[in-house]
Amino acid sequence: MSLFQRNATRQPLAEYDTVLAWIVAALLSLGLVMVYSASIATAEAGKFTAYQPGYYLLRHGMYMCVGLLAGLMVFQIPLQTWQKIAPYLFLLGVALLVLVLIPGVGRAVNGSRRWLSLFVINLQPSELMKLFAVLYAADYTVRKGAVKDSLSKAFMPMFSVMVMVGTLLLLEPDMGAFVVICVIAIGTLWLGGFNLKVFGLLLLALPVAFAVLIISSPYRLQRVTSFMDPWADPYGKGYQLSHALIAFGRGEWLGVGLGGSVEKLFYLPEAHTDFLLAVIAEELGFVGVSVVILLFGWLIVRAFAIGRQSVMLDRMYAALVAQGIAIWLGVQAMINIGVNMGVLPTKGLTLPFLSYGGSGVVANCVAIAILLRIDWENRRMMRGMSI
């Protein structure tokens, strides 16, 4: 049999990771249904949305369409291009974080100044900054590979940059985004093979730094104390968490049925955003929550598998971006799930792909498009090597 015949009979490689695409499609679809279910009462009674039960459904659907369209466009961009522009995107993210703090420019909601008004929609720069942090941290790690054992040349520049970004985020305040971006940066440097002694120092210094941040802010201290015992003040500091726990308790194994949640009827604040999982728990029960967790676990496994494949093909930047996306989505999902279940303090982080929010959904879709692009390039390289 000739070489041509052997190649013709060989099982062809798929063009992209279809499993990953279906996982994301499942999360987005579930999110659309649950956002509608969780927001009907809020939309009907809203000052500007009265008698419009589908208001949040339509807007969330629009955000999903924009995110998918942006993802299709991003998929066409070679990863090499992202590596070249990563530092500039990071600078753009910093500029947006500065803009959001300027009175009259940034929009404040519930005491937090996190949004830029674009007339039709509100842009949340911290969501874009997570994506830019993944791209920049991967590029930085690759560039500093030759001096990765040097504390002054490799670690301190990144540490200084993270301090600057962290300061801007804490001024909003957005402690949740700060935690996620720090984990992205540290995780990427770790995976890139930076000196282990540096991370030993970090493990000692970070708990102290976070303790100082919490104690120095009455707002953050209140969140921590209410998380530790929400039933001590169920009508005050512990109101949100206590109702989230009630929702979990009512759901039991199979839930009360889609649309049957009582907690979403003005008892549980932010039911369609930060606490969407509590509504899922109440309506779909333990089974529904388990499905969400399994889907996220599967997504993270696929992302790390793509990163490992990139390492085998000697594509270090691609590997670090894929793993950085896995860290970002995994840590944010874990924090949101932990907050909803009462095992972590309230952080104001949404559940990726599911919670209502334009900037978050678009940034998540773009991240998955980049991940699919990495996988697509890997498959093309493997196909070329097999010929």
Side-chain angles (χ1 to χ4, degrees), residues 124-292:
Q124 190 171 355
S126 60
E127 292 294 339
L128 297 180
M129 196 63 192
K130 295 169 190 173
L131 175 61
F132 298 161
V134 169
L135 298 171
Y136 175 73
D139 174 60
Y140 180 90
T141 304
V142 172
R143 285 190 288 109
K144 296 290 185 178
V147 293
K148 61 185 179 182
D149 291 327
S150 171
L151 180 65
S152 59
K153 294 180 180 179
F155 179 74
M156 289 309 296
M158 174 61 83
F159 179 76
S160 302
V161 168
M162 287 299 108
V163 167
M164 175 184 64
V165 172
T167 301
L168 293 173
L169 289 170
L170 291 174
L171 288 173
E172 294 185 7
D174 194 345
M175 182 74 169
F178 171 60
V179 171
V180 171
I181 289 173
C182 281
V183 173
I184 290 170
I186 294 169
T188 304
L189 295 179
W190 175 278
L191 292 168
F194 273 48
N195 196 322
L196 294 179
K197 293 180 181 179
V198 171
F199 294 99
L201 294 173
L202 276 176
L203 290 175
L204 294 174
L206 282 178
V208 175
F210 279 114
V212 170
L213 286 173
I214 291 168
I215 295 170
S216 63
S217 169
Y219 166 76
R220 286 189 284 269
L221 184 60
Q222 185 183 72
R223 286 196 167 189
V224 171
T225 54
S226 63
F227 136 77
M228 294 175 68
D229 186 9
W231 307 109
D233 187 11
Y235 297 105
K237 298 175 184 177
Y239 180 82
Q240 198 170 32
L241 179 54
S242 62
H243 280 280
L245 295 175
I246 290 171
F248 271 87
R250 291 192 75 245
E252 297 185 350
W253 287 97
L254 298 176
V256 298
L258 186 62
S261 169
V262 172
E263 288 301 317
K264 69 184 181 184
L265 303 177
F266 310 108
Y267 293 104
L268 180 61
E270 311 296 339
H272 58 298
T273 55
D274 299 356
F275 282 85
L276 184 67
L277 188 72
V279 178
I280 293 174
E282 187 177 4
E283 296 190 350
L284 304 182
F286 175 80
V287 172
V289 174
S290 298
V291 168
V292 171

Side-chain angles (χ1 to χ4, degrees), residues 27 31 34-35 114 127 130 175-177 179-180 223 227 240-241 244-245 248 268-281 289 292-293 296 300 327-357 364:
L27 287 169
M34 294 311 303
V35 164
R114 302 178 185 176
E127 292 294 339
K130 295 169 190 173
M175 182 74 169
V179 171
V180 171
R223 286 196 167 189
F227 136 77
Q240 198 170 32
L241 179 54
L245 295 175
F248 271 87
L268 180 61
E270 311 296 339
H272 58 298
T273 55
D274 299 356
F275 282 85
L276 184 67
L277 188 72
V279 178
I280 293 174
V289 174
V292 171
I293 294 173
F296 274 111
I300 293 161
I327 292 170
W328 163 25
L329 298 177
V331 168
Q332 183 163 331
M334 181 187 70
I335 292 174
N336 180 274
I337 293 168
V339 166
N340 276 256
M341 291 182 174
V343 297
L344 289 174
T346 305
K347 285 285 186 294
L349 284 173
T350 56
L351 191 59
F353 304 108
L354 281 87
S355 295
Y356 175 82
N364 296 157

Side-chain angles (χ1 to χ4, degrees), residues 2 13 22 42 56 58 73 80 82 87 95 97 102 122 133 167 176 206-209 221 229 269 274 288 316 362 377:
S2 67
L13 285 169
W22 279 112
T42 304
Y56 292 104
L58 292 174
M73 292 188 293
Q80 187 178 6
W82 289 109
L97 290 178
I102 300 175
N122 292 317
T167 301
L206 282 178
V208 175
L221 184 60
D229 186 9
D274 299 356
M316 288 309 300
V362 172
E377 291 182 1

